[in-house]
Amino acid sequence: MHGRYVLDKYYSRGGKAHMQRRNLYLLFAVVLVLIGAAIVTSLYVQAGRQITSFEEARPLPGAVLYDQDGEVIKRLGTGSVYVPLDQTPQDLQNAVKSTQKSKAINQRLARQILEPQGLWARLQLAILPSVLERRYSKRERLEIYLNNAYFGEGAYGVEAASQTYFATPVKNIDLAQSALLAALAQEPESASPFSNANRAREQRNAVLAQMQQAGHIDRNQQEQAAQEAIDANRHAPGYAHHFSDYLGNLLIEELGEERVYQGGLRVTTTLNRELQKFAESMFQDAKLDGALVALDPTSGAILAMVGGRNYLEDSTNMATVKRQEVGTTLRPLIYATGLQEEWAVNHLVEDIQRDFGDFKVDNADDRYWGPVTMKHALVMDLNNAAAWTLNELGLDRFNEFAQSVNLNIAQVDQHLRLVMGEVREGLSLLQLAAAYLPGVSGGNYAQVSAIEQVTDTQNQKVLTDQTGTPKRILSKEQAYLFTDMLLPGTQYGSIRALDMDFPA
């Protein structure tokens, strides 16, 4: 009996120990499960935070400049432009979906959100696609991806890519261009048309074939798009580039660089699209370099501005840069000052070679007319007649007229050499063009303007045209006479050789 009691006691103790070990293992397993659940939950929470931070960190786009037709001129700054999916061409959506499955898009999007550094970040990256799938619909994920994908040449997002490769908003691209962008999303460097046009064509056509196989396009559409040439020329996005630079600098002076480049501003400009395109084409067709400014006579609004023939080769704006040599462009303004002094157009001025103190100038071909009318002196562009007129009127009197049309001539330049266009401090084409406005606006001068209004993301006005009311410089009669004095120059005067197929 005693032996059996001992044995039972032994087995009882062994059973309890076994149960204790089993309970310990069970507790350990539960703890592991809880820790694992906590880790997974933490990963999900932190992955969600990464997505939220990614959305919040996206900068607003730079200011968008619009012409008078409501079309985009150019976008300033580097902030990405977010394009809703319903404004993205269907061909582009189909091209991307044909070449990248939903899972691949999720993984690429996760890579855009998080660049893993360390084990914990890698774990977050692994779980991000699942979090994205729970958080967004398939369309929303595609939209986010298209607006953040890298397409090469520093272009992030479909709008930047379209402007970079085609110099047009993404809403305007065709099937072939859509296929090329889809190819660039996968091979942003090797498929660049700028560095490897053959590879770009090969990859684009491969995308077109996949679109046809997926039923998004038919065989005829595929073949036609595949025949389109690859444009290997670099483009400056938008148009009116010199005008955009000029306006961008004005905006920065008023609002600051950060707000202009990352403030999401909408800028309605004074630019006339048709006139600007025509002006640009004139320089391109004639293969001539130079500058042009077209102003609205009544308001002073800039309707067109060309600062050079090839912006990519030279971005210098010859319309706004100040020149120390401005030719004889100041002479008509000298005679306009005479009109202000009630001189008639047949007022006699002296075209005789003489010394004017420390200034002396020869006429062209060493030919002198003697006493001539003011109008004839201007039409024939007579050097000594202009010098005599400026000397007779007085430099102070001419400077007074110049200031009234916003030509601020420095003290060092208030000299008779102005008749020869020597201005050490310089004057720009834009300044000089504006100074002529009274002649074509009934005698009024309106300050030059390029902006109608600027609004923010809430459609609140940030800036409006503040040029004010035009001021009278010449009487209507004087303005008419001023223009009348200029017209014969193209008929029989000093600029008759100009080939002008429109009235001056």
Side-chain angles (χ1 to χ4, degrees), residues 165 192-197 229-235:
Y165 294 106
S192 171
F194 301 149
S195 57
N196 194 339
I230 291 288
D231 186 356
N233 297 316
R234 293 183 183 273
H235 302 277

Side-chain angles (χ1 to χ4, degrees), residues 338-406:
L339 291 173
Q340 266 192 343
E341 289 295 301
E342 303 297 336
W343 290 13
V345 294
N346 61 354
H347 182 91
L348 292 180
V349 299
E350 294 186 11
D351 184 50
I352 301 170
Q353 188 177 36
R354 68 177 74 195
D355 292 338
F356 296 92
D358 62 347
F359 179 76
K360 181 180 179 180
V361 65
D362 297 329
N363 276 9
D365 300 326
D366 207 29
R367 182 181 180 187
Y368 303 90
W369 293 69
V372 294
T373 65
M374 185 166 65
K375 180 176 181 178
H376 186 76
L378 175 58
V379 170
M380 302 309 295
D381 210 12
L382 303 177
N383 295 342
N384 274 273
W388 183 91
T389 302
L390 180 56
N391 186 66
E392 191 72 12
L393 288 167
L395 287 163
D396 289 343
R397 181 66 185 85
F398 174 67
N399 189 50
E400 181 184 331
F401 177 88
Q403 288 182 339
S404 71
V405 290
N406 273 14

